[in-house]
Amino acid sequence: MSRRPHADWQAEIYRKHAGWIAGTRPHMAVGDGWADVISRLFDRMSQALTGEPPSTRIVIIDIKEKYGELRVEVLAPVGPETEAVIDEAILLAELRSECTCDECGEPGRMRSTLGQSGWLAVKCDDHQSGYPRTVGERSPRRRFKDRFGVFEITYDRVADNITKIRQDKGQTDGL
């Protein structure tokens, strides 16, 4: 992936999706390596809005890196089905960020600086300088409980998708 100046890829994403973004566009406080992760997120959110009225606008509240992972906060006045698709798109982007180098976009692993207050970042082997301790060796995962049961979500970088496994019944759903 070629590196582009920070402001250029952000402006390009906002320009491409200007029709459904409301309010001010916050600065994306992430490394250039996540440009593709965020671009795919915006494409998925745009696709989710196809069933909503043309006047529907989403407010992007915050896009940042925290604890080495992408964090996205939006305000979307949409129906429950569209909201679920947007939530899934955000989850997919967050999980993808956990295995994508924030500098170059190549496959990476969660790494930490040494010391008691170690900083976390996702780095590839070429950009690991300053982050010598590997923290994440496996595929990104989340575990959650809702009214339907207990689930574990696993991200597959190659397929760029999520697998949801219901822990209390052993059922698998591809998302």
Side-chain angles (χ1 to χ4, degrees):
M1 173 180 224
S2 62
R3 293 185 69 172
R4 296 176 278 180
H6 192 69
D8 288 348
W9 67 264
Q10 290 186 21
E12 184 180 313
I13 289 172
Y14 282 132
R15 234 183 341 271
K16 180 179 177 184
H17 298 287
W20 55 264
I21 298 173
T24 59
R25 289 136 178 90
H27 172 72
M28 298 180 209
V30 299
D32 291 344
W34 287 354
D36 187 54
V37 173
I38 294 172
S39 179
R40 288 182 189 196
L41 167 63
F42 275 59
D43 289 346
R44 287 183 173 112
M45 288 194 299
S46 179
Q47 185 67 31
L49 292 170
T50 57
E52 294 292 319
S55 60
T56 302
R57 301 287 181 267
I58 292 178
V59 177
I60 309 289
I61 297 170
D62 202 10
I63 297 177
K64 65 184 175 187
E65 175 275 329
K66 187 169 186 175
Y67 302 117
E69 301 170 4
L70 178 66
R71 298 284 196 256
V72 179
E73 190 176 351
V74 299
L75 177 59
V78 294
E81 295 85 15
T82 303
E83 182 178 14
V85 174
I86 290 172
D87 288 346
E88 183 181 310
I90 291 171
L91 176 62
L92 186 62
E94 290 173 347
L95 290 169
R96 190 164 192 253
S97 75
E98 291 181 39
C99 59
T100 302
C101 179
D102 63 3
E103 287 191 49
C104 68
E106 293 298 318
R109 293 180 295 194
M110 185 70 72
R111 301 175 192 264
S112 174
T113 59
L114 296 177
Q116 193 173 20
S117 61
W119 290 95
L120 295 171
V122 179
K123 302 290 181 185
C124 64
D125 291 340
D126 292 339
H127 293 110
Q128 72 176 346
S129 178
Y131 292 86
R133 187 166 59 106
T134 302
V135 178
E137 289 290 339
R138 60 185 185 151
S139 297
R141 310 172 181 267
R142 295 278 193 288
R143 188 175 173 94
F144 71 94
K145 180 179 179 181
D146 66 11
R147 64 187 173 131
F148 301 109
V150 178
F151 298 91
E152 181 172 274
I153 294 176
T154 305
Y155 174 71
D156 180 348
R157 182 180 169 84
V158 175
D160 193 32
N161 70 4
I162 297 171
T163 301
K164 182 167 98 173
I165 301 171
R166 187 168 176 179
Q167 298 295 297
D168 53 348
K169 298 223 187 226
Q171 298 172 343
T172 303
D173 294 322
L175 299 178

Coordinates of all heavy atoms in Angstrom, one line a residue, residues 88 91 95 142 144 146 148-155 161-167 170-175:
E88 N -22.4 -3.2 12.6 CA -21.5 -4.3 12.1 C -20.3 -3.8 11.3 O -19.2 -4.3 11.4 CB -22.4 -5.3 11.3 CG -21.6 -6.5 10.8 CD -22.4 -7.5 10.0 OE1 -23.5 -7.8 10.4 OE2 -21.9 -7.8 8.9
L91 N -17.8 -2.5 13.8 CA -17.2 -3.6 14.4 C -16.1 -4.2 13.5 O -15.0 -4.5 13.9 CB -18.2 -4.7 14.9 CG -17.6 -5.9 15.5 CD1 -16.8 -5.6 16.8 CD2 -18.7 -6.9 15.8
L95 N -12.2 -4.4 14.3 CA -11.4 -5.7 14.4 C -10.3 -5.7 13.3 O -9.2 -6.2 13.6 CB -12.4 -6.9 14.2 CG -13.3 -7.1 15.3 CD1 -14.4 -8.1 14.9 CD2 -12.6 -7.6 16.6
R142 N -13.9 -10.6 19.9 CA -14.7 -9.9 20.9 C -15.7 -11.0 21.5 O -16.1 -11.9 20.8 CB -15.6 -8.8 20.3 CG -14.8 -7.7 19.7 CD -14.4 -6.7 20.8 NE -14.0 -5.4 20.2 CZ -12.9 -5.2 19.6 NH1 -12.1 -6.2 19.4 NH2 -12.6 -4.0 19.2
F144 N -19.3 -11.1 23.8 CA -20.4 -10.3 24.3 C -21.6 -11.1 24.6 O -21.7 -12.3 24.2 CB -20.7 -9.2 23.3 CG -21.5 -9.6 22.1 CD1 -22.8 -9.6 22.0 CD2 -20.7 -10.0 21.0 CE1 -23.5 -10.0 20.9 CE2 -21.4 -10.4 19.8 CZ -22.8 -10.4 19.8
D146 N -25.9 -10.8 24.9 CA -27.1 -10.0 24.7 C -28.3 -10.9 25.0 O -28.1 -12.0 25.6 CB -27.2 -9.4 23.3 CG -27.3 -10.5 22.2 OD1 -27.5 -11.7 22.5 OD2 -27.1 -10.1 21.0
F148 N -30.0 -12.7 23.3 CA -30.0 -14.0 22.5 C -29.0 -15.0 23.0 O -29.0 -16.1 22.5 CB -29.8 -13.7 21.0 CG -30.8 -12.7 20.4 CD1 -30.5 -11.4 20.1 CD2 -32.1 -13.1 20.3 CE1 -31.4 -10.6 19.6 CE2 -33.1 -12.3 19.8 CZ -32.7 -11.0 19.4
G149 N -28.1 -14.6 23.8 CA -27.1 -15.5 24.3 C -25.7 -14.9 24.4 O -25.5 -13.7 24.4
V150 N -24.7 -15.8 24.6 CA -23.3 -15.4 24.7 C -22.6 -15.7 23.4 O -22.7 -16.8 22.9 CB -22.6 -16.1 25.9 CG1 -21.2 -15.7 26.0 CG2 -23.3 -15.8 27.2
F151 N -21.9 -14.7 22.9 CA -21.3 -14.9 21.6 C -19.8 -14.6 21.6 O -19.4 -13.7 22.4 CB -21.9 -14.0 20.5 CG -23.4 -14.3 20.3 CD1 -24.3 -13.7 21.0 CD2 -23.7 -15.2 19.4 CE1 -25.7 -13.9 20.8 CE2 -25.1 -15.5 19.1 CZ -26.1 -14.8 19.9
E152 N -19.0 -15.2 20.7 CA -17.6 -14.8 20.5 C -17.6 -14.4 19.0 O -18.0 -15.2 18.2 CB -16.6 -15.9 20.8 CG -15.2 -15.4 20.6 CD -14.2 -16.4 21.1 OE1 -13.8 -16.3 22.3 OE2 -13.7 -17.2 20.3
I153 N -17.0 -13.3 18.7 CA -16.8 -12.8 17.3 C -15.4 -12.9 17.0 O -14.5 -12.4 17.7 CB -17.4 -11.4 17.1 CG1 -18.9 -11.4 17.4 CG2 -17.0 -10.8 15.8 CD1 -19.5 -10.0 17.3
T154 N -15.0 -13.5 15.9 CA -13.7 -13.6 15.4 C -13.5 -13.0 14.0 O -14.4 -13.2 13.2 CB -13.2 -15.1 15.3 OG1 -13.4 -15.7 16.6 CG2 -11.7 -15.2 15.0
Y155 N -12.5 -12.2 13.8 CA -12.2 -11.6 12.5 C -11.2 -12.4 11.7 O -10.2 -12.8 12.2 CB -11.7 -10.1 12.7 CG -11.3 -9.5 11.4 CD1 -12.3 -9.1 10.5 CD2 -10.0 -9.3 11.1 CE1 -12.0 -8.5 9.3 CE2 -9.7 -8.7 9.9 CZ -10.6 -8.3 9.0 OH -10.3 -7.7 7.8
N161 N -14.0 -10.8 6.9 CA -15.3 -11.0 7.5 C -15.3 -11.4 8.9 O -14.2 -11.7 9.5 CB -16.2 -12.0 6.7 CG -15.7 -13.4 6.7 OD1 -14.8 -13.7 7.5 ND2 -16.3 -14.3 6.0
I162 N -16.4 -11.5 9.6 CA -16.6 -11.8 11.0 C -17.3 -13.2 11.1 O -18.3 -13.4 10.3 CB -17.4 -10.8 11.7 CG1 -16.7 -9.4 11.7 CG2 -17.7 -11.2 13.1 CD1 -17.5 -8.3 12.2
T163 N -16.9 -14.0 12.0 CA -17.7 -15.2 12.3 C -18.1 -15.0 13.8 O -17.4 -14.7 14.6 CB -16.8 -16.5 12.2 OG1 -16.3 -16.6 10.9 CG2 -17.5 -17.7 12.6
K164 N -19.4 -15.3 13.9 CA -20.1 -15.1 15.3 C -20.4 -16.5 15.7 O -21.2 -17.2 15.1 CB -21.3 -14.2 15.2 CG -22.0 -14.0 16.5 CD -23.0 -12.8 16.3 CE -24.3 -13.3 16.2 NZ -25.4 -12.3 16.2
I165 N -19.9 -16.9 16.9 CA -20.2 -18.2 17.5 C -20.9 -18.1 18.8 O -20.4 -17.4 19.7 CB -18.9 -19.0 17.7 CG1 -18.1 -19.2 16.4 CG2 -19.2 -20.4 18.3 CD1 -16.7 -19.8 16.5
R166 N -22.1 -18.7 18.8 CA -22.9 -18.6 20.0 C -22.2 -19.6 21.0 O -22.2 -20.8 20.8 CB -24.3 -19.0 19.8 CG -25.2 -18.8 20.9 CD -26.6 -18.9 20.6 NE -27.4 -18.8 21.8 CZ -28.7 -18.8 21.8 NH1 -29.4 -18.9 20.6 NH2 -29.4 -18.7 22.9
Q167 N -21.7 -19.1 22.1 CA -21.0 -19.9 23.1 C -21.9 -20.9 23.9 O -21.5 -22.0 24.2 CB -20.2 -19.0 24.0 CG -19.2 -18.2 23.3 CD -18.1 -19.0 22.7 OE1 -17.4 -19.7 23.4 NE2 -18.0 -19.0 21.4
G170 N -23.2 -23.4 20.8 CA -22.3 -23.8 19.7 C -22.7 -23.5 18.3 O -22.1 -24.1 17.4
Q171 N -23.6 -22.6 18.1 CA -24.0 -22.3 16.7 C -23.1 -21.3 16.1 O -22.6 -20.4 16.8 CB -25.4 -21.7 16.8 CG -26.5 -22.7 17.3 CD -27.8 -22.0 17.5 OE1 -27.9 -20.8 17.5 NE2 -28.8 -22.9 17.6
T172 N -22.8 -21.4 14.8 CA -21.9 -20.4 14.1 C -22.7 -19.7 13.1 O -23.5 -20.2 12.3 CB -20.8 -21.2 13.4 OG1 -20.1 -22.0 14.3 CG2 -19.9 -20.3 12.7
D173 N -22.5 -18.4 13.0 CA -23.1 -17.5 12.0 C -22.0 -16.7 11.3 O -21.2 -16.1 12.0 CB -24.1 -16.5 12.6 CG -25.3 -17.2 13.2 OD1 -25.8 -18.2 12.6 OD2 -25.8 -16.7 14.2
G174 N -21.9 -16.7 10.0 CA -21.0 -15.8 9.3 C -21.6 -14.5 9.1 O -22.8 -14.4 8.7
L175 N -20.9 -13.4 9.4 CA -21.5 -12.1 9.2 C -20.8 -11.4 8.1 O -19.6 -11.6 7.8 CB -21.3 -11.3 10.5 CG -22.0 -11.8 11.7 CD1 -21.6 -10.9 12.9 CD2 -23.4 -11.9 11.5

